Amino acid sequence: MFIMNGIGSLFEFAGGIGMFLYGMNRMADGMQKSAGGKMKSLLGYLTRNRFLAILVGALITAIIQSSGATTVMVVGFVNAGIMNLTQAAGVIMGANVGTTITAWLVSANEWAGALKPDFFAPFILGIGAFIITFSNKQKMTQKAEIAVGFGILFIGLSSMSSSIGVYQDSPVFYKAFQVLGGNPILGILVGAVVTAIIQSSSASVGILQTLAMRGIVNWRSAIFITLGQNIGTCITAILSSAGANKTAKRAAVIHLSFNVLGAAIYGVIMTIFFGIFPDLAMQHISSTQISIFHSIFNISVTILLFPFANALVKLSGLIIREEPVEDEEEEP
């Protein structure tokens, strides 16, 4: 009986992850269809000023809920010659700030009180599905897709949370996160690999927050896994640049360099911090606290590296070099 219950919980957790990822995808698709054209125009016109480029990157990512989608657009613009690498660096920095909005949505279950999203999720899902089924208006259907995605996302989140509930006091989880927390490099690696596989830092942070809601994640583990998640999200831009020109590949490298440098800086800072406060390192972290750290990390790294945008561009040129032009041999 215990084995069957365990398998049932595993299936429920897997189904919850599936709904969470699908819901996020539907919500992002609906937002991109509703505002995609306008977002592309905004990117093209407003990124000439680097500071403005950061604001545009943050705004677009907050709206379409995908830093990956924003960076893919950036790579496309760079590939087409519409945007230079300095402009791209600003938008990419902003995209990292904008992506934190999803973590705040997930943690709303802790701080929103009676307005918990998962309470309204089934109703919102029902309204959206009704509109998609019976409406012939394309714009209305696109907005309904956002509602459906929102509903499925939080129903999946609730399913994940309830499936883990029976194991929240299990020593297995505690030991696993204790091992991850004890090895910063391992924690960063796990966060990066999981995020690269599902190609969404928002989704992987949401899964981590679900574990935190059940009190089975400690501060040290969560911090280093979150740092790794910011590195793993770069896989989307890297894949999108595979068939692009050298300049577009450099834009993807800028995205990777930005997040790797940020993770390295914070990895050192947090290792020292947890060495000074070892008791805090092993305390349980909440979903809201993960949102706070995720936001502080991305905003502070953007502020720190903002003056060095041109240096990131030069670094990308060193990593992705132009192929030397061979002189044609003169015919005798």
Side-chain angles (χ1 to χ4, degrees), residues 81-242:
I82 299 171
M83 185 184 294
N84 62 42
L85 286 174
T86 303
Q87 291 171 310
V91 178
I92 288 167
M93 289 180 182
N96 281 272
V97 175
T99 196
T100 61
I101 192 68
T102 307
W104 283 105
L105 278 175
V106 172
S107 65
N109 280 320
E110 286 184 345
W111 53 263
L115 299 176
K116 289 182 178 181
D118 62 355
F119 178 77
F120 296 100
F123 176 73
I124 294 172
L125 171 59
I127 295 293
F130 183 85
I131 293 172
I132 290 173
T133 304
F134 297 104
S135 176
N136 294 322
K137 296 180 179 179
Q138 186 178 12
K139 288 186 178 179
M140 184 67 73
T141 303
Q142 289 172 350
K143 288 179 173 61
E145 283 186 19
I146 300 172
V148 169
F150 180 89
I152 294 175
L153 187 155
F154 281 100
I155 291 172
L157 199 63
S158 178
S159 179
M160 278 194 289
S161 182
S162 62
S163 68
I164 294 171
V166 294
Y167 301 109
Q168 67 185 77
D169 296 324
S170 172
V172 175
F173 281 109
Y174 179 78
K175 289 292 182 183
F177 283 103
Q178 190 177 38
V179 170
L180 291 176
N183 190 325
I185 295 175
L186 184 59
I188 291 173
L189 184 62
V190 167
V193 170
V194 171
T195 306
I197 291 172
I198 63 179
Q199 293 193 36
S200 174
S201 62
S202 298
S204 60
V205 170
I207 293 169
L208 181 65
Q209 286 177 292
T210 304
L211 298 174
M213 287 177 192
R214 287 296 177 180
I216 56 177
V217 184
N218 60 49
W219 268 87
R220 192 180 181 97
S221 301
I223 294 302
F224 291 119
I225 290 173
T226 302
L227 295 179
Q229 288 166 336
N230 282 275
I231 296 174
T233 192
C234 300
I235 190 66
T236 308
I238 292 170
L239 290 174
S240 72
S241 69

